[in-house]
C-alpha cells in the first residue's frame, strides 16, 4: 500500500510537473517559432522596402544624369554670353523636359562664378543669386569631382527644401566653366514611398532613409530631414557598410533614441546613395507578446493558431519572393527597352553623319557631272574612246548619286512628296519590273489583302524600297526560291509600342517581303540596318539597301522589322501609317505635262555659294537658251533683282551664307515681285522648306546632283505653272 501510494504520489508529482512543464515547453517552443516567424517576416518586409526604394532611386538618378547630359548638349561649348542670348529658348526647352517629371524641381546652368545662366523654373533667371558657397559647387570648381550631390539645403529662389545633383562644365581647353545641375524635391521620394506601399502612413517604428555615401541624410520618413540639421549615419554603421559595401541586414541599438532596431541597407549602384530601412524591436516584441498571450488564453486553439501563423508567414514570404520576381522581370523589361533606345540613338547619330557627308558629295557630283556634260558637248565629233570614257564618267556620277540618295534616305533627309497610295496597286504595277530584275529562277507570289487601307507616303521612294527588298531577297537565294510579297491591314498595340520605343501604337498598312533563302543570324539582324554593313562579297553591294528602307520607314512615320531563321528564310515587314481615304495614282504612272519651249529669252537668277556648282548651273541655263544672272548670297541676289525686274525664275540653293537662307530670300523676292517663280535646289533636306521629311506645299525642289536635262524639265514645269496661273487670272 505504501509502495503503491508512493508510486501514485510520484505519478501525481510527475503529472503536476508535466502539467506545468509541458505548457511551458509548448509556450517556449511556440514563442520561439512565433518570434522567428515575426523577425523573418520583418526582415523580408524591410528587404522588400529597401529593394523597391533602391530601384526607384536608381531610375531617378539615371533620369537626373540624362537631364544633365541633355542640358550640357543643349549649351555645348557656348560662352556665357551666347547662353544668355539663347536663355528664353533654353528655358522653354528645359521647362518642357522637366514638365512631366515630378521628381525634378528645376534644371539649370551655372557659370564659373556660380551665377545662374538659364533655369527651367523661371525666365528671366535671377542672375544676382550666387551658388559659389554651396558645397557641391565648391567640389566641382576644385576638380574634386565631376558629378556631385549637395547636402539638403534651402532654395534661394522659392525657399523650399531641396538637394542638388550637379556635373561640371569644362571649356574646350579643360578649364572649369560652371555646372549643369538638377534641383531635387525630397518630398517626391517620401510621397513615392507612401504611394507605392513602401511605407505606411501610420508605421510601427519603421524608418526609411536616403543618404549620401559619406553618411549625410538627404531624405527620411516619417520624420523629414530639416535643411541644416546635419544628420549623419553613425560611425559604427559606416564601419559596417565598409565591410559589406553593397547590402546587409543586422541588429543594433540606435544612438538617436537608444532603442534596439532591425536595420537593412543597400547601395544604389552607379550613384552616391545608400537606402536604409529600420524597425524598432519594441514593435516586434509587442506582436510576439500578443501571440504568446493568445496561446496562454486559448491553449490548443493558440497552438493551432501558431501553426496557422507559420502557414501565413510562409505565404507572406512567398508573396514577398513573388513581388521580387515581378520586380526582376520589370528590371529586365526596362533593360530591353533601354537597349532598344540606345540602338535608336546610335542609328540617329549615324544618320546625322551620313546626311552631312551626302550633302557635300551632292555638291561635288553636281560639278563633276556638269563638267563631263560640257566636255562631251565641247567636242564636235568625239571619237569612240572619248565617248566610252565620258560614258564611264557619267555612269560613275549616276552610281554615286544613287549612293548619296540612299545615304540621305537612311539619314531621313531625303525630301518626300507625300501622296495617298493604294499599296496593292503599287505592288501590281511593279510586277513586270520585279520579274525582269529577279530573273526566272525566282518564283514571285503576291498575296494582296482585300479592303486594304490607303497609306500616306512617297510612292517613288516606296517603289525603291520594294525593289531593294526584292533584290536583297534574290541575293539570299542564289540557287532560286520563292519570293512572297504580302499586304495587310494591321494594328500595333501599346504592348508592342512599349517594347519598341520608336513605334507609335495605331493602325498601319503592312508590306511584307518574304524569301526562302539562307536567312540571318541574330547578330546579323542586329546590324542589318547599319549603313555599309553587308554580308555580300566585296563589290556585290554597298550595304545601303536596308539602311535606305530603315530611314524611309522612320521618315514616313512607320516601322520596319526583320524576322529570320538560318536555313529557312527571311521576312522583312514594313509598316506605314494608315492614311485618309481617296486614292491617287503613284508617281510612276502619272503623265508628264506638256513641254514648254526651253529658254525663250527668259531670265533666270542663280543663287549658289559653291562656285563650281554655280558655274555648272549658269552653263546649263545658257545652253538651254536662258538669260542668266548669278549671285553667291542672298544680299547680292536682292541687289540684282532690284536692277533686273525681267527675272522670271529665281533658282536658289536653300543653304546660303550670310545668315539668310534660300527660303527667306524667296519670300523677300516674291514680296517685291509677286509673279517671280522660285525653284529651290539642295544637297540635303533642310528644315527651311521640308518639315518632318515632307516637302512644304507649293515648293518646287530640284535635288542635287542634277543634270542639264533634269534642270530643263524642272524649269519647264515651273514656267508652265506660271503660265497656267496667268491664264487663270485673265
Amino acid at each position: 500500500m505504501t509502495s503503491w501510494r508512493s508510486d501514485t504520489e510520484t505519478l501525481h508529482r510527475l503529472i503536476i510537473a508535466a502539467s506545468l512543464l509541458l505548457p511551458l515547453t509548448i509556450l517556449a517552443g511556440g514563442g520561439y517559432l512565433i518570434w522567428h516567424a515575426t523577425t523573418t517576416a520583418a526582415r523580408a518586409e524591410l528587404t522588400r522596402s529597401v529593394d523597391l526604394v533602391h530601384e526607384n532611386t536608381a531610375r531617378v538618378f539615371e533620369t537626373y544624369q540624362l537631364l544633365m547630359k541633355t542640358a550640357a548638349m543643349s549649351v555645348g561649348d557656348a560662352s556665357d554670353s551666347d547662353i544668355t542670348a539663347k536663355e528664353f529658348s533654353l528655358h522653354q526647352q528645359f521647362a518642357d523636359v522637366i514638365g512631366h517629371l515630378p521628381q525634378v524641381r528645376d534644371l539649370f546652368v551655372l557659370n564659373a562664378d556660380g551665377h545662374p545662366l538659364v533655369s527651367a523654373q523661371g525666365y528671366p533667371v535671377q542672375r544676382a543669386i550666387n551658388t559659389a558657397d554651396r558645397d557641391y559647387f565648391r567640389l566641382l570648381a576644385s576638380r574634386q569631382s565631376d558629378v556631385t550631390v549637395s547636402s539638403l539645403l534651402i532654395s534661394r529662389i522659392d525657399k523650399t527644401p531641396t538637394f542638388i545633383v550637379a556635373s561640371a562644365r569644362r571649356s574646350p581647353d579643360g578649364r572649369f566653366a560652371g555646372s549643369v545641375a538638377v534641383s531635387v524635391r525630397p518630398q517626391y521620394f517620401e510621397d513615392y514611398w507612401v504611394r507605392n506601399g513602401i511605407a505606411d502612413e501610420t508605421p510601427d517604428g519603421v524608418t526609411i532613409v536616403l543618404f549620401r555615401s559619406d553618411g549625410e541624410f538627404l531624405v527620411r520618413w516619417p520624420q523629414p530631414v530639416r535643411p541644416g540639421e546635419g544628420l549623419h549615419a553613425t560611425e559604427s554603421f559606416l564601419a559596417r557598410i565598409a565591410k559589406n559595401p553593397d547590402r546587409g541586414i543586422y541588429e543594433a541599438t540606435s544612438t538617436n533614441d537608444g532603442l534596439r532596431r532591425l536595420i537593412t541597407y543597400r547601395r544604389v549602384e552607379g550613384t552616391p546613395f545608400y537606402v536604409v530601412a529600420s524597425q524598432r524591436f519594441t514593435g516586434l516584441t509587442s506582436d510576439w507578446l500578443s501571440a504568446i498571450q493568445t496561446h496562454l488564453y486559448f491553449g490548443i486553439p493558440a497552438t493551432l493558431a501558431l501553426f496557422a501563423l507559420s502557414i501565413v508567414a510562409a505565404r507572406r514570404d512567398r508573396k514577398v519572393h513573388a513581388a521580387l520576381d515581378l520586380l526582376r522581370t520589370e528590371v529586365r523589361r526596362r533593360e530591353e527597352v533601354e537597349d532598344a533606345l540606345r540602338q535608336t540613338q546610335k542609328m540617329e547619330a549615324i544618320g546625322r553623319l551620313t546626311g552631312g557627308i551626302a550633302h557635300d558629295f551632292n555638291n561635288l557630283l553636281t560639278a563633276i557631272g556638269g563638267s563631263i556634260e560640257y566636255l562631251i558637248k565641247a567636242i564636235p565629233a568625239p571619237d569612240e574612246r572619248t565617248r566610252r570614257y565620258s560614258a564611264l564618267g557619267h555612269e560613275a556620277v549616276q552610281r554615286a548619286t544613287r549612293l548619296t540618295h540612299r545615304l540621305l534616305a537612311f539619314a531621313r533627309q531625303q525630301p518626300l512628296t507625300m501622296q495617298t497610295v493604294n499599296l496593292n496597286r503599287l505592288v501590281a504595277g511593279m510586277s513586270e519590273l520585279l520579274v525582269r530584275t529577279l530573273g526566272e529562277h525566282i518564283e514571285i507570289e503576291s498575296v494582296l489583302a482585300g479592303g486594304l487601307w490607303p497609306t500616306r507616303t512617297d510612292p517613288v521612294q516606296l517603289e525603291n524600297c520594294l525593289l531593294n527588298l526584292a533584290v536583297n531577297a534574290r541575293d539570299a537565294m542564289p540557287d532560286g526560291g520563292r519570293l512572297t510579297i504580302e499586304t495587310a491591314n494591321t494594328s500595333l498595340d501599346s504592348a508592342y509600342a512599349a517594347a519598341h520605343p520608336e513605334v507609335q501604337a495605331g493602325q498601319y498598312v503592312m508590306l511584307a517581303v518574304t524569301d526562302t533563302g539562307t536567312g540571318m543570324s541574330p547578330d546579323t539582324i542586329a546590324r542589318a540596318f547599319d549603313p555599309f554593313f553587308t554580308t555580300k562579297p566585296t563589290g556585290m553591294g554597298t550595304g545601303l539597301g536596308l539602311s535606305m528602307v530603315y530611314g524611309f520607314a522612320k521618315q514616313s512615320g512607320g516601322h520596319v522589322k526583320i524576322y529570320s531563321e538560318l536555313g529557312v528564310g527571311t521576312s522583312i515587314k514594313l509598316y506605314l501609317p494608315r492614311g485618309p481615304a481617296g486614292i491617287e495614282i503613284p508617281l510612276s504612272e502619272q503623265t508628264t505635262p506638256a513641254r514648254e519651249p526651253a529658254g525663250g529669252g527668259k531670265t533666270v537668277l542663280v543663287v549658289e555659294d559653291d562656285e563650281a556648282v554655280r558655274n555648272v548651273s549658269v552653263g546649263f541655263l545658257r545652253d538651254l537658251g536662258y538669260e542668266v544672272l548669278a549671285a553667291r548670297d542672298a544680299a547680292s541676289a536682292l541687289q540684282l533683282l532690284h536692277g533686273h525686274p525681267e527675272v522670271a525664275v529665281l533658282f536658289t540653293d536653300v543653304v546660303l551664307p550670310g545668315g539668310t537662307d534660300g527660303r527667306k530670300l524667296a519670300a523677300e523676292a516674291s514680296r517685291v515681285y509677286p509673279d517671280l517663280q522660285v525653284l529651290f535646289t539642295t544637297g540635303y533636306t533642310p528644315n527651311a522648306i521640308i518639315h518632318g521629311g515632307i516637302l512644304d506645299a507649293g515648293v518646287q525642289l530640284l535635288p542635287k546632283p542634277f543634270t542639264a536635262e533634269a534642270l530643263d524639265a524642272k524649269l519647264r514645269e515651273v514656267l508652265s505653272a506660271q503660265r497656267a496661273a496667268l491664264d487663270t487670272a485673265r
Side-chain angles (χ1 to χ4, degrees), residues 253-285:
T253 300
S254 172
T255 58
N256 293 328
D257 53 16
L259 298 176
R260 191 75 175 169
R261 289 180 175 271
L262 180 63
I263 303 171
T264 182
Y265 66 89
R266 184 172 179 183
R267 180 171 65 90
V268 183
E269 298 86 356
T271 77
F273 296 120
Y274 273 84
V275 294
V276 178
S278 66
Q279 183 174 6
R280 294 198 302 263
F281 268 87
T282 53
L284 298 178
T285 303

Side-chain angles (χ1 to χ4, degrees), residues 56-73:
N56 171 246
T57 305
R59 292 294 173 258
V60 169
F61 192 79
E62 289 176 1
T63 300
Y64 297 154
Q65 289 181 311
L66 182 59
L67 288 174
M68 290 189 294
K69 288 182 181 178
T70 301
M73 291 177 63

Side-chain angles (χ1 to χ4, degrees), residues 476-511:
M477 299 182 289
D479 299 325
R482 185 173 66 256
L483 175 73
T484 303
I485 302 174
E486 180 184 1
T487 62
N489 298 327
T490 187
S491 295
L492 300 180
D493 57 21
S494 56
Y496 187 90
H500 302 77
E502 78 280 8
V503 176
Q504 293 288 334
Q507 294 180 324
Y508 291 83
V509 181
M510 182 198 71
L511 173 64

